[in-house]
Amino acid sequence: MAQSGGPTAVINASVAGVVNEALNYECIEEIYGGLNGVLGILNEDLIDLANESQQAIRGLQYTPGAALGTCRYKLKKDSDFERVLKVFEAHNIRYFFYAGGNDSQDTANKISKLAQEKGYELRVIGIPKTIDNDLVATDHCPGYGSVIKHISTLVREMACDHESMGQGDMVSILEVMGRNAGWIAAGASLAKRRDKPNDPPHLIYLPEVAFNPEKFKVDVQRVLSKERYCMIVVGEGLIDVEGNYVHASSGATDAFGHNQLGGAGDYLRELVETTLGVKARTAKFGISQRSAATHVSKTDSDEAVMAGQAAVKAAISGVTDKMVTLIRSEADHYVCETGLTDLEEVANGVKSIPTDWINEDGTSMSFQFVKYASPLIQGEVSVPYDNGLPTFASLSKTRIFRLLDAYQPE
Amino acid sequence: MAQSGGPTAVINASVAGVVNEALNYECIEEIYGGLNGVLGILNEDLIDLANESQQAIRGLQYTPGAALGTCRYKLKKDSDFERVLKVFEAHNIRYFFYAGGNDSQDTANKISKLAQEKGYELRVIGIPKTIDNDLVATDHCPGYGSVIKHISTLVREMACDHESMGQGDMVSILEVMGRNAGWIAAGASLAKRRDKPNDPPHLIYLPEVAFNPEKFKVDVQRVLSKERYCMIVVGEGLIDVEGNYVHASSGATDAFGHNQLGGAGDYLRELVETTLGVKARTAKFGISQRSAATHVSKTDSDEAVMAGQAAVKAAISGVTDKMVTLIRSEADHYVCETGLTDLEEVANGVKSIPTDWINEDGTSMSFQFVKYASPLIQGEVSVPYDNGLPTFASLSKTRIFRLLDAYQPE
């Protein structure tokens, strides 16, 4: 089992699911974790997951980050792939479970294909993981429900604050993650109470809708003519009509050629202050969005566990080259089951928000979106506190003795 | 009862304390709330707090923002002060409780002095409130414990994420509130576990310590030579050796003369990336810091209620022109009692962090600080959830019939 890409608040829940399920089968003699994704496999950095305490494995269900470590390393050379197989062979590893986004599923697929070519019996099952919710062939991705529960909670809390400020005309801008798709920004719309369409967030700007500064000005003015403040949620990947990321003008370049200063949030603040003469404030939650353990969705956490269990069940039953998917049943209330899809399909696709889930105004989400997203944030997970702060699990990481010579990945 | 200045996560708990305590005394016939601080009193915008449901008043204990509304309006003219007395007189208001920071205590003091001059019998008691923790004569301020519990929680959560990233040398910068004092940034040090001095945050930069870019570079290099990442917490009010706020160079001015782009967090990021060539990320939590209801400290919330109750008790017993203070008893474990201090003393003072609570390295807090701050974050407050999100109380705000002509404050 290994983890890859950016962590989510529930990626460790999938590890717990894999470990608990794997213990049920006699044919699985050892359960190893690869440290820092494929990097750890290349380096033969393996730990004994079966040796971890039950408390630690249970604690993974509320521990953010990737407990096994993660990486953004992409296997490139043939020798990298061959090394992975060599490590698997040395330790008689016959099942490989990889939690990650589409790049990781691509890696898993290539490893599996090489094993088949070489006649090494290996079953490879991917486990979906991304706060971005952009994997194809699955109704949604473990990690997404928790990040939008977190953002919506912040919107609700901040709304109480903004509402209480006496002298009106304040614009509040929240920049959230989502470089290529607006799923996270869209999820903020869940903060609106039932039958309260005028609740914040008043305006949502998504990467899916090309940004028009003139329309933006009119949008903000319309909100401020009716409300005491205007709360805006913007995805960091906002693009202009030419398809370029927007950025604050004064952040163009500094003496060293850096141009990252001032992302989408700062850009919108500048527009508000210069074209409308209204005070604006920004918040940019950064990494805290994907590590918000104290705002995890129980539904999301449970489904992450279930995805891990389903991966093991599939492998045991002889399946390989698949990723576990989440399937929403057609029942009256929300029921989620698992399915399987080809790794190859996931590796090459990106799922965008359906166009008709964005209202015609381009700044709010339709009823269909809310119906889709609302079940994903239901339920809370209790995190243990000690001395006033949450305490998280950490693994003891008993190392598996190395059997091969060192390998130097590039 | 009225609220003033920036809200905190527990300012409403003090309203609950005042209302519950006031109901105990027959001499108090009505309990009015002034909407949006002194502005509401000038405008005769009064609501009937005794008429609110018990559920709503109880709900105030976990509702962020200022439920009565707040303002940053400062009474200036003599006519403003006279108007306040006129409104009090018209409604036979004989007790005035004002929750706020030092500006608000100054306002309360001036109102009281004018009443005495005019021979209008009025008792005025201030209730401390500020996340900034900078009021003198009180051991600490309601609102502070919750904001540092929140920041420390985020540091713990983000640490799990950063720790799991495989390819090291990452700098993570968290910009937190605190324009004039570093109490909030200092509080992040509570995230370190017992006997784990190398836990994040690795470096804390406070407005109290003039910023030296050369030392900063050495500080960060030292951390990165030992740890996989370097987490920095910086107060937004960081100043350079000349006493000016630091800001990112490319945020100097834009075409419209604005120079707010790029605060202390962006400035540090620029320094890291340009002088060390290391990737840095920033997070800036903005208003969410003071509205983080789901991370409220039970100790803080209880003390905010107690401060409200103590204000009423003092007024009933004949005291006036005082602010309630929190006093830490000399007991073995933390015990907090209330006291009283002159409004005038609070109005004119600002409390800085004692110099010897900052370690000689200038970037970490001493044992004394931890001993001081740790009791303030103990305990959690349970917030009710509905449909996956916290639900907060809102007041029905039954208006008190106006008895005077309209007044136009400037």
Side-chain angles (χ1 to χ4, degrees):
Chain A
M1 168 85 207
Q3 300 173 303
S4 177
T8 76
V10 301
I11 184 171
N12 291 328
S14 290
V15 177
V18 165
V19 173
N20 285 332
E21 185 66 23
L23 287 168
N24 294 335
Y25 303 97
E26 275 182 26
C27 61
I28 298 181
E29 294 166 354
E30 307 285 349
I31 310 171
Y32 293 166
L35 296 183
N36 296 113
V38 285
L39 262 187
I41 298 171
L42 291 178
N43 294 327
E44 220 186 334
D45 280 336
L46 305 176
I47 63 165
D48 185 354
L49 277 172
N51 191 46
E52 297 289 340
S53 71
Q54 294 175 74
Q55 195 179 29
I57 297 297
R58 178 170 292 261
L60 291 183
Q61 288 185 48
Y62 53 77
T63 297
L68 298 176
T70 179
C71 69
R72 292 209 181 273
Y73 184 83
K74 211 168 152 56
L75 297 183
K76 287 165 222 118
K77 298 176 301 173
D78 287 351
S79 56
D80 280 352
F81 287 98
E82 278 158 21
R83 167 73 179 184
V84 168
L85 281 198
K86 215 169 155 188
V87 172
F88 282 0
E89 201 164 2
H91 293 275
N92 195 27
I93 290 167
R94 300 292 178 169
Y95 302 102
F96 177 45
F97 304 104
Y98 206 33
N102 48 14
D103 271 355
S104 314
Q105 307 304 340
D106 185 44
T107 299
N109 188 42
K110 285 176 177 154
I111 291 171
S112 184
K113 292 292 147 52
L114 184 67
Q116 285 158 33
E117 202 183 300
K118 301 265 181 189
Y120 178 74
E121 200 187 338
L122 177 72
R123 296 184 196 151
V124 177
I125 305 286
I127 300 169
K129 174 275 346 167
T130 169
I131 59 167
D132 292 332
N133 203 41
D134 59 356
L135 299 188
V136 296
T138 182
D139 179 76
H140 56 280
C141 301
Y144 177 60
S146 292
V147 71
I148 63 174
K149 185 184 179 95
H150 172 62
I151 300 289
S152 298
T153 298
L154 295 178
V155 167
R156 280 250 174 124
E157 291 177 339
M158 291 174 78
C160 288
D161 186 289
H162 295 345
E163 183 64 35
S164 65
M165 301 306 287
Q167 290 128 307
D169 274 11
M170 202 268 279
V171 174
S172 175
I173 299 159
L174 281 57
E175 182 184 311
V176 302
M177 283 181 157
R179 202 76 189 144
N180 304 311
W183 287 104
I184 298 175
S189 62
L190 298 181
K192 291 178 191 281
R193 291 166 296 177
R194 283 194 188 97
D195 308 319
K196 303 273 185 186
N198 298 327
D199 268 3
H202 304 105
L203 301 168
I204 297 177
Y205 293 94
L206 307 166
E208 283 81 353
V209 182
F211 185 74
N212 175 339
E214 282 307 311
K215 178 175 177 300
F216 172 73
K217 193 175 150 181
V218 175
D219 288 344
V220 175
Q221 279 175 320
R222 189 186 65 243
V223 173
L224 288 180
S225 71
K226 293 187 296 182
E227 310 289 336
R228 293 150 69 96
Y229 67 98
C230 174
M231 190 190 285
I232 297 170
V233 174
V234 58
E236 60 181 344
L238 192 65
I239 53 167
D240 61 24
V241 284
E242 277 146 25
N244 301 313
Y245 288 125
V246 303
H247 58 75
S249 64
S250 36
T253 46
D254 61 21
F256 299 84
H258 288 256
N259 65 353
Q260 286 218 334
L261 242 199
D266 282 327
Y267 170 70
L268 295 190
R269 179 176 70 171
E270 194 177 271
L271 270 182
V272 168
E273 294 195 334
T274 56
T275 68
L276 294 172
V278 170
K279 188 173 169 59
R281 305 189 75 146
T282 52
K284 183 184 167 192
F285 303 116
I287 298 290
S288 70
Q289 292 166 79
R290 67 187 194 200
S291 59
T294 45
H295 290 160
V296 157
S297 150
K298 177 89 164 58
T299 300
D300 189 29
S301 174
D302 288 349
E303 290 175 357
V305 171
M306 186 169 74
Q309 293 169 327
V312 176
K313 283 178 194 162
I316 291 289
S317 74
V319 172
T320 187
D321 295 2
K322 301 279 185 187
M323 184 190 79
V324 172
T325 59
L326 299 178
I327 301 169
R328 187 185 300 243
S329 86
E330 299 290 323
D332 267 1
H333 12 260
Y334 176 78
V335 179
C336 182
E337 293 158 4
T338 62
L340 294 165
T341 191
D342 288 342
L343 284 175
E344 195 150 0
E345 189 187 350
V346 181
N348 298 317
V350 170
K351 187 172 73 177
S352 299
I353 302 178
T355 314
D356 60 344
W357 288 10
I358 305 169
N359 286 335
E360 268 183 40
D361 58 20
T363 56
S364 65
M365 306 309 299
S366 75
F367 167 73
Q368 290 99 311
F369 174 81
V370 174
K371 197 177 155 196
Y372 166 82
S374 183
L376 313 182
I377 68 166
Q378 300 300 313
E380 290 71 54
V381 171
S382 170
V383 177
Y385 275 72
D386 179 45
N387 203 22
L389 292 174
T391 53
F392 299 118
S394 66
L395 300 177
S396 60
K397 296 187 181 170
T398 311
R399 291 298 178 112
I400 301 299
F401 197 75
R402 284 200 177 105
L403 302 173
L404 300 174
D405 292 335
Y407 179 80
Q408 195 56 52
E410 262 167 41
Chain B
M1 170 82 208
Q3 300 171 303
S4 178
T8 77
V10 300
I11 184 172
N12 292 327
S14 290
V15 176
V18 165
V19 172
N20 285 332
E21 185 66 23
L23 288 168
N24 295 334
Y25 303 97
E26 274 182 25
C27 61
I28 298 180
E29 294 166 352
E30 308 284 350
I31 311 171
Y32 294 167
L35 296 183
N36 295 112
V38 286
L39 262 186
I41 298 171
L42 291 177
N43 293 326
E44 220 186 335
D45 280 335
L46 306 175
I47 63 164
D48 186 354
L49 277 172
N51 191 47
E52 296 290 340
S53 71
Q54 294 174 72
Q55 194 180 30
I57 297 298
R58 178 169 291 263
L60 291 183
Q61 288 186 47
Y62 53 76
T63 298
L68 298 175
T70 180
C71 68
R72 294 211 180 269
Y73 184 83
K74 209 166 152 61
L75 297 181
K76 287 165 223 122
K77 297 176 302 175
D78 288 351
S79 56
D80 280 351
F81 287 98
E82 278 158 19
R83 168 71 180 188
V84 168
L85 281 198
K86 216 169 153 185
V87 171
F88 282 179
E89 199 163 2
H91 293 274
N92 195 28
I93 291 168
R94 299 293 179 167
Y95 302 102
F96 176 45
F97 304 104
Y98 207 32
N102 48 12
D103 270 357
S104 313
Q105 306 304 341
D106 185 45
T107 299
N109 189 40
K110 285 175 178 157
I111 291 170
S112 185
K113 292 292 147 52
L114 183 68
Q116 284 158 32
E117 199 183 303
K118 301 265 182 188
Y120 179 74
E121 201 189 335
L122 178 72
R123 295 181 197 154
V124 177
I125 305 286
I127 300 170
K129 175 268 354 164
T130 170
I131 59 168
D132 293 331
N133 203 40
D134 59 356
L135 299 187
V136 297
T138 182
D139 178 77
H140 56 279
C141 302
Y144 177 60
S146 292
V147 72
I148 64 174
K149 184 185 181 93
H150 172 61
I151 300 290
S152 298
T153 298
L154 295 178
V155 168
R156 283 250 173 123
E157 291 177 338
M158 291 174 79
C160 288
D161 185 289
H162 295 344
E163 184 62 35
S164 65
M165 300 307 286
Q167 292 129 307
D169 274 12
M170 202 270 279
V171 175
S172 174
I173 300 160
L174 281 57
E175 182 184 312
V176 303
M177 283 181 157
R179 204 76 190 143
N180 304 311
W183 286 104
I184 298 175
S189 62
L190 298 182
K192 288 178 193 282
R193 289 166 297 175
R194 281 194 191 97
D195 308 319
K196 303 271 186 189
N198 297 328
D199 268 4
H202 305 107
L203 300 168
I204 298 177
Y205 293 94
L206 308 164
E208 282 82 353
V209 181
F211 184 76
N212 176 339
E214 282 307 311
K215 178 176 177 298
F216 172 74
K217 195 175 148 180
V218 175
D219 289 344
V220 174
Q221 279 175 321
R222 190 186 62 244
V223 173
L224 287 181
S225 71
K226 293 186 298 182
E227 310 289 335
R228 293 150 70 95
Y229 67 98
C230 174
M231 190 190 283
I232 298 170
V233 173
V234 57
E236 60 181 345
L238 192 66
I239 53 167
D240 61 24
V241 283
E242 276 147 24
N244 301 314
Y245 289 125
V246 303
H247 57 75
S249 65
S250 39
T253 44
D254 63 20
F256 298 83
H258 288 256
N259 65 354
Q260 287 216 333
L261 243 197
D266 282 327
Y267 170 70
L268 295 190
R269 179 175 70 173
E270 194 177 270
L271 269 182
V272 169
E273 295 194 333
T274 56
T275 69
L276 295 173
V278 171
K279 188 173 168 59
R281 307 187 73 146
T282 52
K284 184 184 166 191
F285 304 116
I287 298 289
S288 70
Q289 292 167 78
R290 67 185 196 203
S291 59
T294 46
H295 291 161
V296 157
S297 150
K298 177 87 164 57
T299 300
D300 189 29
S301 174
D302 287 350
E303 290 176 358
V305 171
M306 187 169 74
Q309 293 168 327
V312 175
K313 284 177 191 160
I316 291 290
S317 73
V319 173
T320 187
D321 294 3
K322 302 279 185 186
M323 183 189 80
V324 173
T325 59
L326 298 179
I327 300 169
R328 186 185 302 243
S329 86
E330 300 290 322
D332 267 359
H333 11 259
Y334 177 78
V335 180
C336 181
E337 293 158 4
T338 61
L340 294 165
T341 190
D342 289 342
L343 285 175
E344 195 149 0
E345 191 188 348
V346 181
N348 298 317
V350 171
K351 187 172 72 176
S352 299
I353 302 179
T355 314
D356 61 346
W357 287 11
I358 304 169
N359 287 335
E360 268 184 39
D361 58 21
T363 56
S364 65
M365 306 308 299
S366 75
F367 167 74
Q368 291 98 312
F369 174 81
V370 175
K371 197 175 155 198
Y372 165 82
S374 183
L376 313 182
I377 68 165
Q378 300 300 315
E380 290 71 55
V381 171
S382 169
V383 178
Y385 275 72
D386 180 44
N387 202 22
L389 292 174
T391 53
F392 299 117
S394 66
L395 301 176
S396 61
K397 296 187 182 171
T398 312
R399 291 297 179 110
I400 301 299
F401 197 76
R402 283 200 177 105
L403 302 172
L404 301 174
D405 293 335
Y407 178 80
Q408 196 57 52
E410 261 167 41

PDB file of all heavy atoms in Angstrom, chain B residues 328-345:
ATOM      1  N   ARG B 328      -5.895  35.577  37.423  1.00  0.00           N
ATOM      2  CA  ARG B 328      -5.417  34.213  37.579  1.00  0.00           C
ATOM      3  C   ARG B 328      -5.008  34.032  39.030  1.00  0.00           C
ATOM      4  O   ARG B 328      -4.153  34.759  39.529  1.00  0.00           O
ATOM      5  CB  ARG B 328      -4.221  34.008  36.656  1.00  0.00           C
ATOM      6  CG  ARG B 328      -3.675  32.601  36.576  1.00  0.00           C
ATOM      7  CD  ARG B 328      -2.414  32.584  35.721  1.00  0.00           C
ATOM      8  NE  ARG B 328      -2.673  33.086  34.381  1.00  0.00           N
ATOM      9  CZ  ARG B 328      -2.542  32.352  33.260  1.00  0.00           C
ATOM     10  NH1 ARG B 328      -2.130  31.112  33.345  1.00  0.00           N
ATOM     11  NH2 ARG B 328      -2.801  32.879  32.078  1.00  0.00           N
ATOM     12  N   SER B 329      -5.648  33.087  39.703  1.00  0.00           N
ATOM     13  CA  SER B 329      -5.313  32.932  41.117  1.00  0.00           C
ATOM     14  C   SER B 329      -3.965  32.246  41.249  1.00  0.00           C
ATOM     15  O   SER B 329      -3.447  31.662  40.301  1.00  0.00           O
ATOM     16  CB  SER B 329      -6.389  32.113  41.830  1.00  0.00           C
ATOM     17  OG  SER B 329      -6.098  30.753  41.679  1.00  0.00           O
ATOM     18  N   GLU B 330      -3.413  32.310  42.425  1.00  0.00           N
ATOM     19  CA  GLU B 330      -2.075  31.751  42.666  1.00  0.00           C
ATOM     20  C   GLU B 330      -2.134  30.245  42.967  1.00  0.00           C
ATOM     21  O   GLU B 330      -1.156  29.674  43.436  1.00  0.00           O
ATOM     22  CB  GLU B 330      -1.400  32.490  43.829  1.00  0.00           C
ATOM     23  CG  GLU B 330      -1.209  33.979  43.593  1.00  0.00           C
ATOM     24  CD  GLU B 330      -0.158  34.287  42.524  1.00  0.00           C
ATOM     25  OE1 GLU B 330       0.858  33.574  42.488  1.00  0.00           O
ATOM     26  OE2 GLU B 330      -0.379  35.207  41.715  1.00  0.00           O
ATOM     27  N   ALA B 331      -3.280  29.638  42.689  1.00  0.00           N
ATOM     28  CA  ALA B 331      -3.439  28.208  42.994  1.00  0.00           C
ATOM     29  C   ALA B 331      -2.506  27.345  42.155  1.00  0.00           C
ATOM     30  O   ALA B 331      -1.907  27.808  41.196  1.00  0.00           O
ATOM     31  CB  ALA B 331      -4.888  27.784  42.740  1.00  0.00           C
ATOM     32  N   ASP B 332      -2.409  26.077  42.538  1.00  0.00           N
ATOM     33  CA  ASP B 332      -1.552  25.127  41.821  1.00  0.00           C
ATOM     34  C   ASP B 332      -1.995  24.945  40.383  1.00  0.00           C
ATOM     35  O   ASP B 332      -1.217  25.010  39.463  1.00  0.00           O
ATOM     36  CB  ASP B 332      -1.588  23.753  42.513  1.00  0.00           C
ATOM     37  CG  ASP B 332      -0.454  23.632  43.503  1.00  0.00           C
ATOM     38  OD1 ASP B 332       0.316  24.602  43.607  1.00  0.00           O
ATOM     39  OD2 ASP B 332      -0.360  22.579  44.163  1.00  0.00           O
ATOM     40  N   HIS B 333      -3.285  24.661  40.209  1.00  0.00           N
ATOM     41  CA  HIS B 333      -3.749  24.617  38.830  1.00  0.00           C
ATOM     42  C   HIS B 333      -4.485  25.915  38.532  1.00  0.00           C
ATOM     43  O   HIS B 333      -4.828  26.695  39.423  1.00  0.00           O
ATOM     44  CB  HIS B 333      -4.639  23.432  38.512  1.00  0.00           C
ATOM     45  CG  HIS B 333      -5.107  22.659  39.694  1.00  0.00           C
ATOM     46  ND1 HIS B 333      -4.531  21.482  40.063  1.00  0.00           N
ATOM     47  CD2 HIS B 333      -6.086  22.935  40.584  1.00  0.00           C
ATOM     48  CE1 HIS B 333      -5.140  21.037  41.139  1.00  0.00           C
ATOM     49  NE2 HIS B 333      -6.082  21.899  41.478  1.00  0.00           N
ATOM     50  N   TYR B 334      -4.739  26.076  37.255  1.00  0.00           N
ATOM     51  CA  TYR B 334      -5.331  27.310  36.760  1.00  0.00           C
ATOM     52  C   TYR B 334      -6.732  27.543  37.332  1.00  0.00           C
ATOM     53  O   TYR B 334      -7.624  26.707  37.191  1.00  0.00           O
ATOM     54  CB  TYR B 334      -5.415  27.225  35.240  1.00  0.00           C
ATOM     55  CG  TYR B 334      -6.077  28.394  34.587  1.00  0.00           C
ATOM     56  CD1 TYR B 334      -5.404  29.598  34.416  1.00  0.00           C
ATOM     57  CD2 TYR B 334      -7.383  28.302  34.119  1.00  0.00           C
ATOM     58  CE1 TYR B 334      -6.010  30.675  33.788  1.00  0.00           C
ATOM     59  CE2 TYR B 334      -7.997  29.373  33.495  1.00  0.00           C
ATOM     60  CZ  TYR B 334      -7.309  30.544  33.329  1.00  0.00           C
ATOM     61  OH  TYR B 334      -7.912  31.609  32.718  1.00  0.00           O
ATOM     62  N   VAL B 335      -6.920  28.669  37.998  1.00  0.00           N
ATOM     63  CA  VAL B 335      -8.243  29.095  38.451  1.00  0.00           C
ATOM     64  C   VAL B 335      -8.387  30.555  38.056  1.00  0.00           C
ATOM     65  O   VAL B 335      -7.478  31.355  38.262  1.00  0.00           O
ATOM     66  CB  VAL B 335      -8.395  28.968  39.984  1.00  0.00           C
ATOM     67  CG1 VAL B 335      -9.784  29.434  40.408  1.00  0.00           C
ATOM     68  CG2 VAL B 335      -8.155  27.534  40.429  1.00  0.00           C
ATOM     69  N   CYS B 336      -9.516  30.888  37.454  1.00  0.00           N
ATOM     70  CA  CYS B 336      -9.702  32.264  36.993  1.00  0.00           C
ATOM     71  C   CYS B 336     -10.864  32.896  37.732  1.00  0.00           C
ATOM     72  O   CYS B 336     -11.947  32.320  37.848  1.00  0.00           O
ATOM     73  CB  CYS B 336      -9.970  32.252  35.492  1.00  0.00           C
ATOM     74  SG  CYS B 336     -10.195  33.895  34.800  1.00  0.00           S
ATOM     75  N   GLU B 337     -10.626  34.087  38.277  1.00  0.00           N
ATOM     76  CA  GLU B 337     -11.679  34.842  38.954  1.00  0.00           C
ATOM     77  C   GLU B 337     -11.809  36.199  38.280  1.00  0.00           C
ATOM     78  O   GLU B 337     -10.944  36.583  37.500  1.00  0.00           O
ATOM     79  CB  GLU B 337     -11.296  35.033  40.428  1.00  0.00           C
ATOM     80  CG  GLU B 337     -11.299  33.721  41.198  1.00  0.00           C
ATOM     81  CD  GLU B 337     -10.436  33.800  42.452  1.00  0.00           C
ATOM     82  OE1 GLU B 337      -9.898  34.899  42.748  1.00  0.00           O
ATOM     83  OE2 GLU B 337     -10.279  32.758  43.103  1.00  0.00           O
ATOM     84  N   THR B 338     -12.878  36.905  38.632  1.00  0.00           N
ATOM     85  CA  THR B 338     -13.009  38.235  38.035  1.00  0.00           C
ATOM     86  C   THR B 338     -12.665  39.309  39.047  1.00  0.00           C
ATOM     87  O   THR B 338     -12.782  39.114  40.255  1.00  0.00           O
ATOM     88  CB  THR B 338     -14.444  38.489  37.528  1.00  0.00           C
ATOM     89  OG1 THR B 338     -15.332  38.419  38.645  1.00  0.00           O
ATOM     90  CG2 THR B 338     -14.841  37.470  36.471  1.00  0.00           C
ATOM     91  N   GLY B 339     -12.228  40.438  38.534  1.00  0.00           N
ATOM     92  CA  GLY B 339     -11.968  41.610  39.343  1.00  0.00           C
ATOM     93  C   GLY B 339     -12.494  42.825  38.600  1.00  0.00           C
ATOM     94  O   GLY B 339     -13.248  42.692  37.627  1.00  0.00           O
ATOM     95  N   LEU B 340     -12.109  43.991  39.054  1.00  0.00           N
ATOM     96  CA  LEU B 340     -12.565  45.232  38.419  1.00  0.00           C
ATOM     97  C   LEU B 340     -11.391  46.203  38.326  1.00  0.00           C
ATOM     98  O   LEU B 340     -10.531  46.236  39.201  1.00  0.00           O
ATOM     99  CB  LEU B 340     -13.684  45.861  39.248  1.00  0.00           C
ATOM    100  CG  LEU B 340     -14.998  45.073  39.336  1.00  0.00           C
ATOM    101  CD1 LEU B 340     -15.868  45.614  40.469  1.00  0.00           C
ATOM    102  CD2 LEU B 340     -15.754  45.131  38.004  1.00  0.00           C
ATOM    103  N   THR B 341     -11.388  46.982  37.279  1.00  0.00           N
ATOM    104  CA  THR B 341     -10.344  48.003  37.147  1.00  0.00           C
ATOM    105  C   THR B 341     -10.979  49.268  36.568  1.00  0.00           C
ATOM    106  O   THR B 341     -12.058  49.214  35.981  1.00  0.00           O
ATOM    107  CB  THR B 341      -9.195  47.503  36.245  1.00  0.00           C
ATOM    108  OG1 THR B 341      -8.104  48.420  36.337  1.00  0.00           O
ATOM    109  CG2 THR B 341      -9.624  47.405  34.793  1.00  0.00           C
ATOM    110  N   ASP B 342     -10.329  50.399  36.734  1.00  0.00           N
ATOM    111  CA  ASP B 342     -10.889  51.648  36.203  1.00  0.00           C
ATOM    112  C   ASP B 342     -10.931  51.636  34.682  1.00  0.00           C
ATOM    113  O   ASP B 342      -9.956  51.280  34.034  1.00  0.00           O
ATOM    114  CB  ASP B 342     -10.032  52.839  36.656  1.00  0.00           C
ATOM    115  CG  ASP B 342     -10.192  53.118  38.140  1.00  0.00           C
ATOM    116  OD1 ASP B 342     -11.191  52.641  38.728  1.00  0.00           O
ATOM    117  OD2 ASP B 342      -9.317  53.809  38.709  1.00  0.00           O
ATOM    118  N   LEU B 343     -12.053  52.066  34.150  1.00  0.00           N
ATOM    119  CA  LEU B 343     -12.175  52.174  32.693  1.00  0.00           C
ATOM    120  C   LEU B 343     -11.043  53.018  32.132  1.00  0.00           C
ATOM    121  O   LEU B 343     -10.483  52.730  31.077  1.00  0.00           O
ATOM    122  CB  LEU B 343     -13.519  52.807  32.316  1.00  0.00           C
ATOM    123  CG  LEU B 343     -14.748  51.917  32.451  1.00  0.00           C
ATOM    124  CD1 LEU B 343     -16.005  52.721  32.152  1.00  0.00           C
ATOM    125  CD2 LEU B 343     -14.655  50.733  31.497  1.00  0.00           C
ATOM    126  N   GLU B 344     -10.715  54.081  32.865  1.00  0.00           N
ATOM    127  CA  GLU B 344      -9.714  55.023  32.370  1.00  0.00           C
ATOM    128  C   GLU B 344      -8.362  54.335  32.178  1.00  0.00           C
ATOM    129  O   GLU B 344      -7.647  54.612  31.213  1.00  0.00           O
ATOM    130  CB  GLU B 344      -9.566  56.170  33.372  1.00  0.00           C
ATOM    131  CG  GLU B 344      -8.832  57.335  32.789  1.00  0.00           C
ATOM    132  CD  GLU B 344      -9.309  58.656  33.399  1.00  0.00           C
ATOM    133  OE1 GLU B 344     -10.218  58.628  34.270  1.00  0.00           O
ATOM    134  OE2 GLU B 344      -8.770  59.685  32.991  1.00  0.00           O
ATOM    135  N   GLU B 345      -8.034  53.429  33.093  1.00  0.00           N
ATOM    136  CA  GLU B 345      -6.752  52.744  32.986  1.00  0.00           C
ATOM    137  C   GLU B 345      -6.694  51.892  31.710  1.00  0.00           C
ATOM    138  O   GLU B 345      -5.689  51.874  31.001  1.00  0.00           O
ATOM    139  CB  GLU B 345      -6.553  51.842  34.217  1.00  0.00           C
ATOM    140  CG  GLU B 345      -5.140  51.303  34.305  1.00  0.00           C
ATOM    141  CD  GLU B 345      -4.974  50.255  35.402  1.00  0.00           C
ATOM    142  OE1 GLU B 345      -5.887  50.103  36.240  1.00  0.00           O
ATOM    143  OE2 GLU B 345      -3.932  49.589  35.390  1.00  0.00           O
TER     144      GLU B 345
END
